[in-house]
Amino acid sequence: MKRNPSQKRAIAHLSGPMMVLAGPGSGKTSVIVERTAYMIHEGKIPAGSILVVTFSRAAAREMKERFLKFTGQERTAVTFGTFHGVFYGILKQAYGLSAANILSEEEKFDILKEMTLQYGGELAEEGDFPEEVAKEISVVKGSRISLEHYYSSCCPDEVFRQIYSGYQRTCKARRKLDFDDMLLYCFELFEKRKDILGAWQKKFQYILVDEFQDINQLQFDIVRLLAEPEENLFIVGDDDQSIYHFRGARPEIMLNFTKNYPKAETVLLDVNYRCSESILKTAMQVIDCNKKRFRKKLSTPNPVGSPVVCLEFANPREEYLEIVRTLKVRLENGEKLEDTAILLRTNQEAEGLVGALMEYQVPFTMKEQLPNLFRHWISRNLLAYLHMAQGDRSRKTFLEIMNRPNRYISRDALTEKEISFQGLKEYYKDKDWMCDRITTLETHLRILESLPPYAALNFIRKGMNYEEYLQEYAQYRKMKPEELLEVLDRIMESARGMKTLKEWEDYIDDYTEKLSEQAKKQETKHEGAVISTLHASKGLEYEKVYILNVNEGSIPYKKAVLEEALEEERRLFYVGMTRAKKELTLCYVKRQYEKEREPSRFLEEAGV
C-alpha cells in the first residue's frame, strides 16, 4: 500500500519519544508493524531489543502475525505482548513464579463471593455485585490509590474496604497474584531493585505502546521506568477513543504526554480510510463538542456516500421490528447480514431486539452473552411473591420476600421448612405491631392471588411499597434508582397481556431456552447481523451500522452527570459512529415503559 506523508513520518521515526495520534480507520496497526520492520532493516536495531505492548492477547497476536507476514519471516526476536504478559515474564524471572501462582477468574470470584457474604449482607444475593467490586479493586490497584482515599461507587465505603482487605489477605495466604498484582509487584520490584530494572532497560531499548489512550497510571509508571534513560518510547492512540474509564483508563495521561516528554515529536494520522465522507463529517461534528482533547481535522479519500439517517420510533418494540423487517427483506434478497452491526449502550437493552430476532428467525451473533432478565434478583423477588400468593409456603421462597420491603422479620422466627403465618404470629405474640405486619402481608397475598400477572406486579410495586424498597436499596448501593426501576419496568413489560402466572412462566421458560440455544449455536458458528454494545465494537468495522436508543438516559447514559463522564459518553458514541463504512442509521424512541423519552443531545450535535 502507498503510505501518506504522516504515516511515512511515523514509520521512519527511529529514536527518542514520539506520540502518534491515530484517528479511527487511519491504519495505525500497519504503522506499528512497518515501523518495527523499518527499525530493524533500515535502523539496524537488534530485533531482540524491541518491545511492542498492547492491551489484549488477540491484538498482540494479530500484530505479531502481521509483522511476520510483512517481513516474510517465520519467527522473530521482537517481543509482542500484553502489559500483563510482559510484566508477568519479568516477575517470573525475579521471583521464580509459575502458573500456579496466578489467580484464575473462577477462584477470584469465589473469594469475592465469600467476602461479600461475610461483609456485604444482602449484596451477596445480587448476581452482578462481585463483578462491580472486582472492577473497583482493579481501579484502586491500577490508579495506585490508597484504600482510605478511595470512595466506592457500588456500596458503602466501609463495606468495600472490608471486602478489599479480606480479598487481599486471602490472595496472600494462598500465594496468588491477580492480574493487577502482576503490575503492582513489577512496579515495586523496579523501585526496589535498580539492578533488575537496569537489566530490563538494557534488554528493551525501544518500546512501542498501542492503544495508549487506554493506559492506566500504574501501567504508565512502569513503562516510564522501562524507557529510561534513552526514552525511545513510541506511543500510538486516539484520545477521542478513550472509553474505558471504568477500568481505570485515563485519557489525561495521553493528553499530558508532551509535558512528561517535552522532546516528543507528535504525528497526526489524519486520513480515515474506513468511513464515507458523510459519516466521518457527522462523527467529527459530535466529537468536536468535547473540550478536553487534541483538536484534529480528519479527511477521507472515500466517496461522500449516503447521508447519515436518523429515525424516530413510537417505542422500542417498533424500533426493533423495523430493524428485523429490514434485515428479513435483505435475507430474502439473498444478501448476507454479516457486514451489519446493531449497537446499543448496554447489554440489557439488547433483550427486546434479541426477542424480536428470535421471533422472526433472523440470524444474529452477539458479541457478549446476553444476561437473562429473569435471572435477576428483582425477578426472583417478584416471582416469589406470586408463588406465595398461589400457596407456596417453602422457607426458600419466603426468604426472597420476607424483608423486601423491610418488615423486620427475623430469620430466627423461621423454625420450620414450611412457613406458617400462624406460627410467625405465635413467635411475635407479644409484639402487636409485628403481628399487624404479618396480617397485612397475608391480606396482600390474597389480593395478589386474584390478579393477572401485570396487575399483580403493579400491586407489589405500588401497593406493597416494593418500589420504595428498591429506591432505598439503590441509595445503599450508590446506584441511580432508575437503574433498578428500569429492570422492574422491563419485567412488568414482559408480563403485559398475560392472563395467568402459568402463561407468563411458560413465556419465561421459552425465552430462557431460546437464549441458551442461541449461546450454544454461537459457539460453533458466527452468522447473521452482529449485536454488540458500543464498548465491545471498538476496533471493528462494518458496511452498515445501526445505533439504537440514541436517547437521553441511554446515550449519554443516565449515570453520566459530570462533564468528564459526559465527554466519555460522547467519545463512546463517536466510536460507534466510526465503525460504519458506508451506511449509518441512528434511531431514537419517543416513549418507553409509558414514559416520554427525549432524543439524545448528541443527535443535535451531529446535525441529523
Side-chain angles (χ1 to χ4, degrees):
M1 266 183 76
K2 276 190 66 182
R3 295 283 161 229
N4 65 44
S6 25
Q7 287 174 327
K8 282 180 187 163
R9 225 184 105 201
I11 289 166
H13 175 82
L14 283 175
S15 51
M18 177 179 258
M19 171 166 69
V20 178
L21 293 172
S26 61
K28 71 178 178 66
T29 308
S30 306
V31 165
I32 294 173
V33 164
E34 292 183 30
R35 175 182 183 243
T36 308
Y38 183 89
M39 289 160 74
I40 297 164
H41 298 297
E42 305 297 321
K44 304 292 179 240
I45 291 164
S49 64
I50 300 172
L51 169 65
V52 182
V53 200
T54 186
F55 285 81
S56 72
R57 276 200 289 228
R61 198 169 47 243
E62 187 204 346
M63 201 90 75
K64 184 173 184 176
E65 282 164 10
R66 281 177 67 168
F67 174 77
L68 292 174
K69 195 175 170 191
F70 182 75
T71 54
Q73 294 170 282
E74 279 187 14
R75 59 179 60 83
T76 177
V78 177
T79 303
F80 289 91
T82 62
F83 281 100
H84 293 108
V86 172
F87 300 151
Y88 168 63
I90 291 171
L91 286 178
K92 198 168 150 183
Q93 269 193 302
Y95 297 128
L97 296 177
S98 73
N101 298 110
I102 304 303
L103 188 71
S104 71
E105 286 295 286
E106 210 173 315
E107 195 178 349
K108 173 183 181 169
F109 283 108
D110 285 346
I111 298 172
L112 287 174
K113 280 173 193 158
E114 208 178 295
M115 294 304 135
T116 306
L117 265 174
Q118 205 170 328
Y119 304 112
E122 64 178 321
L123 293 172
E125 290 170 42
E126 232 188 281
D128 60 352
F129 180 72
E131 279 171 32
E132 297 282 312
V133 170
K135 274 184 205 156
E136 294 215 347
I137 289 174
S138 194
V139 169
V140 171
K141 293 181 180 184
S143 309
R144 294 182 46 223
I145 305 171
S146 64
L147 195 54
E148 58 274 16
H149 294 139
Y150 181 75
Y151 300 100
S152 168
S153 61
C154 73
C155 63
D157 298 329
E158 200 35 54
V159 173
F160 175 76
R161 285 168 194 159
Q162 286 174 317
I163 292 174
Y164 181 96
S165 306
Y167 170 73
Q168 287 297 85
R169 271 197 311 277
T170 311
C171 287
K172 244 188 182 125
R174 295 185 189 177
R175 299 180 62 96
K176 297 273 176 148
L177 303 183
D178 68 14
F179 269 162
D180 301 292
D181 291 331
M182 289 186 214
L183 275 60
L184 262 176
Y185 289 151
C186 192
F187 178 71
E188 285 169 8
L189 174 72
F190 283 169
E191 288 272 81
K192 283 190 211 128
R193 295 284 304 270
K194 295 300 173 204
D195 55 330
I196 292 178
L197 171 61
W200 285 104
Q201 286 169 336
K202 221 186 222 100
K203 159 87 175 127
F204 294 132
Q205 290 181 24
Y206 294 83
I207 302 172
L208 294 84
V209 184
D210 184 24
E211 301 285 8
F212 192 79
Q213 75 281 347
D214 296 336
I215 204 163
N216 68 29
Q217 193 58 50
L218 181 56
Q219 289 161 338
F220 182 52
D221 291 342
I222 301 174
V223 165
R224 281 190 77 174
L225 284 175
L226 259 185
E228 287 171 358
E230 304 289 332
E231 297 191 340
N232 293 324
L233 182 56
F234 182 91
I235 66 155
V236 183
D238 182 4
D239 56 305
D240 288 334
Q241 294 186 67
S242 178
I243 57 172
Y244 294 117
H245 189 273
F246 64 91
R247 285 189 202 155
R250 296 285 175 268
E252 52 274 20
I253 297 176
M254 187 161 191
L255 293 171
N256 292 330
F257 188 76
T258 48
K259 283 187 192 148
N260 286 313
Y261 293 97
K263 291 184 191 147
E265 281 186 65
T266 302
V267 173
L268 171 62
L269 301 186
D270 55 358
V271 182
N272 173 307
Y273 294 98
R274 178 189 299 149
C275 308
S276 70
E277 195 183 305
S278 61
I279 291 171
L280 182 64
K281 202 172 139 207
T282 310
M284 289 309 292
Q285 277 169 237
V286 174
I287 202 66
D288 278 341
C289 297
N290 270 359
K291 309 264 188 303
K292 281 190 179 165
R293 62 187 285 265
F294 291 115
R295 297 263 148 225
K296 323 175 180 60
K297 284 249 179 293
L298 301 186
S299 64
T300 177
N302 296 334
V304 175
S306 42
V308 173
V309 176
C310 182
L311 302 176
E312 172 190 279
F313 293 96
N315 56 49
R317 176 75 179 159
E318 288 202 4
E319 177 186 41
Y320 304 146
L321 288 176
E322 175 57 26
I323 301 250
V324 170
R325 195 187 60 74
T326 312
L327 296 178
K328 191 98 174 146
V329 169
R330 284 180 54 197
L331 264 183
E332 283 159 4
N333 291 341
E335 285 185 51
K336 289 255 184 272
L337 301 180
E338 283 72 10
D339 65 353
T340 302
I342 305 161
L343 308 180
L344 299 126
R345 175 61 181 82
T346 64
N347 222 341
Q348 286 77 7
E349 289 181 296
E351 213 168 84
L353 174 66
V354 164
L357 289 161
M358 294 195 297
E359 201 179 316
Y360 289 91
Q361 297 177 327
V362 173
F364 66 94
T365 296
M366 288 222 42
K367 281 283 290 171
E368 297 144 296
Q369 204 178 349
L370 182 66
N372 187 343
L373 172 68
F374 303 110
R375 295 269 179 277
H376 195 286
W377 59 271
I378 293 179
S379 214
R380 288 202 318 266
N381 291 177
L382 298 173
L383 282 163
Y385 267 118
L386 300 187
H387 287 152
M388 292 281 306
Q390 301 283 335
D392 180 347
R393 291 292 176 267
S394 67
R395 188 172 193 270
K396 185 171 177 253
T397 308
F398 187 68
L399 280 171
E400 282 282 350
I401 63 149
M402 172 169 95
N403 287 317
R404 297 187 171 102
N406 204 346
R407 301 181 176 89
Y408 302 96
I409 298 172
S410 156
R411 277 179 184 240
D412 299 342
L414 316 180
T415 47
E416 307 293 323
K417 276 192 181 153
E418 292 284 306
I419 300 301
S420 120
F421 287 118
Q422 210 38 55
L424 282 175
K425 286 179 194 165
E426 193 57 40
Y427 182 86
Y428 286 112
K429 62 174 184 275
D430 47 358
K431 296 190 170 106
D432 290 349
W433 74 93
M434 285 302 293
C435 292
D436 288 347
R437 280 188 183 137
I438 294 159
T439 304
T440 305
L441 176 58
E442 279 184 287
T443 311
H444 284 163
L445 291 173
R446 273 199 296 279
I447 294 169
L448 287 180
E449 190 186 359
S450 62
L451 297 172
Y454 186 82
L457 297 180
N458 210 21
F459 181 73
I460 296 167
R461 180 177 191 157
K462 300 278 201 281
M464 295 172 75
N465 294 342
Y466 186 74
E467 181 171 320
E468 216 170 278
Y469 158 74
L470 287 183
Q471 285 173 325
E472 283 167 18
Y473 184 72
Q475 202 174 356
Y476 173 69
R477 269 289 312 271
K478 300 186 182 175
M479 300 163 94
K480 281 194 166 260
E482 297 95 271
E483 285 180 67
L484 295 178
L485 297 181
E486 194 182 305
V487 174
L488 187 53
D489 283 335
R490 294 201 332 257
I491 295 165
M492 286 181 64
E493 198 60 43
S494 75
R496 198 189 279 278
M498 303 282 175
K499 294 186 177 54
T500 62
L501 174 58
K502 179 169 184 336
E503 190 185 336
W504 187 40
E505 291 205 290
D506 286 347
Y507 164 78
I508 292 174
D509 292 343
D510 183 50
Y511 176 81
T512 303
E513 195 179 319
K514 277 187 181 157
L515 210 56
S516 70
E517 273 171 26
Q518 172 66 25
K520 271 198 208 91
K521 198 163 77 186
Q522 270 186 215
E523 282 172 22
T524 50
K525 59 176 178 181
H526 294 269
E527 56 170 3
V530 174
I531 299 176
S532 169
T533 60
L534 291 168
H535 278 105
S537 73
K538 187 166 174 290
L540 304 171
E541 55 183 38
Y542 304 91
E543 296 290 315
K544 302 174 196 277
V545 170
Y546 295 88
I547 304 182
L548 305 192
N549 305 337
V550 189
N551 286 82
E552 289 292 316
S554 291
I555 303 171
Y557 195 49
K558 49 182 144 322
K559 273 186 186 167
V561 183
L562 303 173
E563 193 54 43
E564 202 176 286
L566 260 173
E567 292 216 344
E568 176 147 339
E569 289 294 310
R570 198 175 276 113
R571 292 194 292 270
L572 189 54
F573 186 49
Y574 172 73
V575 164
M577 294 172 85
T578 52
R579 300 309 96 200
K581 294 184 188 178
K582 293 187 177 151
E583 288 179 26
L584 175 61
T585 307
L586 308 173
C587 309
Y588 70 94
V589 298
K590 289 176 75 176
R591 287 181 74 78
Q592 189 174 13
Y593 313 126
E594 299 177 355
K595 299 182 194 81
E596 296 284 328
R597 290 205 64 186
E598 290 291 313
S600 167
R601 67 195 80 181
F602 298 160
L603 291 173
E604 198 179 321
E605 293 170 3
V608 292

